[in-house]
């Protein structure tokens, strides 16, 4: 029997092997950026927008309600706030017989989870991060929605501006996302 670590390693190798593939004949999986046991993130580009650099997140379809997830992303894509990562497109795809949902979103230069293992944040850095994070969350909550996954990997920098992920936003009190 394999351990959870071995299973995760095998899954990571599977995700990495998808580099060079294309989703919906529109989104090339240029570079694997990271993954978990149920999702992977790749660098991609959006054509028709001057080949804008973006990120595509692929989520393995298992027992999730696909339509509900796509609906949550559609709702989050309608939000517009300077401290929220923009969601551009979403859909379903199949790679090597694996059913997936995908969301294409704004590219972030880095996230807090990449910085914390290297060094602690200075008090001034923490203070600088709190205001934009609180503003974005207040906006989300004011829209009748909630962010289900505030954690370091979902606090990002885009052109030296703090933004929080939007792919974990859904109706307040709803499960999933």
């Amino acid at each position: 029997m394999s351990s959870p670590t071995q299973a995760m390693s095998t899954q990571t190798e599977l995700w990495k092997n998808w580099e060079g593939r294309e989703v919906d004949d529109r989104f090339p999986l240029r570079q694997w950026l990271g993954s978990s046991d149920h999702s992977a993130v790749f660098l991609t580009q959006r054509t028709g927008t001057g080949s804008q650099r973006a990120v595509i997140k692929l989520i393995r379809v298992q027992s999730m309600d696909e339509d509900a997830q796509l609906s949550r992303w559609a709702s989050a894509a309608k939000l517009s706030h300077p401290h929220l990562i923009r969601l551009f497109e979403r859909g379903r795809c199949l790679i090597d017989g694996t059913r997936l949902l995908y969301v294409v979103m704004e590219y972030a230069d880095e996230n807090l989870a990449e910085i914390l293992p290297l060094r602690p944040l200075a008090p001034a850095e923490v203070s600088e991060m709190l205001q934009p994070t609180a503003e974005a969350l207040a906006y989300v909550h004011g829209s009748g929605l909630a962010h289900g996954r505030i954690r370091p990997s979902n606090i990002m920098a885009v052109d030296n501006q703090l933004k929080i992920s939007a792919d974990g936003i859904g109706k307040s009190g709803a499960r999933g996302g």
Side-chain angles (χ1 to χ4, degrees):
M1 185 158 103
S2 66
S3 72
T5 304
Q6 289 171 322
M8 178 90 159
S9 175
T10 302
Q11 185 60 50
T12 297
E13 290 306 313
L14 173 69
W15 296 122
K16 286 181 180 181
N17 286 334
W18 289 352
E19 279 185 347
R21 300 288 185 88
E22 201 165 79
V23 171
D24 275 356
D25 296 322
R26 301 184 304 160
F27 304 111
L29 302 180
R30 298 254 184 251
Q31 178 186 353
W32 173 84
L33 299 175
S35 58
S36 68
D37 59 339
H38 71 283
S39 68
V41 178
F42 291 86
L43 180 64
T44 191
Q45 68 186 56
R46 296 177 63 220
T47 55
T49 60
S51 293
Q52 176 187 19
R53 199 162 57 159
V55 168
I56 186 168
K57 182 177 188 176
L58 302 170
I59 297 180
R60 182 185 305 277
V61 173
Q62 292 169 332
S63 61
M64 76 167 49
D65 182 339
E66 297 175 46
D67 293 332
Q69 180 62 60
L70 291 170
S71 178
R72 281 191 290 276
W73 286 338
S75 294
K78 293 175 186 171
L79 300 176
S80 178
H81 188 277
H83 298 296
L84 276 180
I85 292 286
R86 290 176 295 154
L87 301 186
F88 301 119
E89 302 186 51
R90 66 219 157 267
R92 295 176 170 89
C93 66
L94 189 68
I95 300 178
D96 292 342
T98 303
R99 288 177 25 154
L100 302 157
L101 297 181
Y102 69 86
V103 61
V104 178
M105 59 190 115
E106 184 175 15
Y107 175 80
D109 304 307
E110 62 185 347
N111 68 62
L112 187 56
E114 296 169 332
I115 295 168
L116 292 177
L118 303 176
R119 64 177 181 83
L121 296 179
E125 290 175 304
V126 174
S127 292
E128 280 181 37
M129 292 173 53
L130 287 176
Q131 184 71 29
T133 302
E135 288 173 8
L137 290 173
Y139 171 76
V140 168
H141 294 171
S143 300
L145 302 169
H147 197 296
R149 288 189 241 124
I150 290 295
R151 57 181 176 231
S153 62
N154 290 330
I155 299 174
M156 305 172 189
V158 177
D159 297 328
N160 290 322
Q161 182 173 358
L162 184 130
K163 294 192 178 197
I164 62 172
S165 66
D167 62 306
I169 293 174
K171 287 184 181 164
S172 186
R175 297 184 137 256

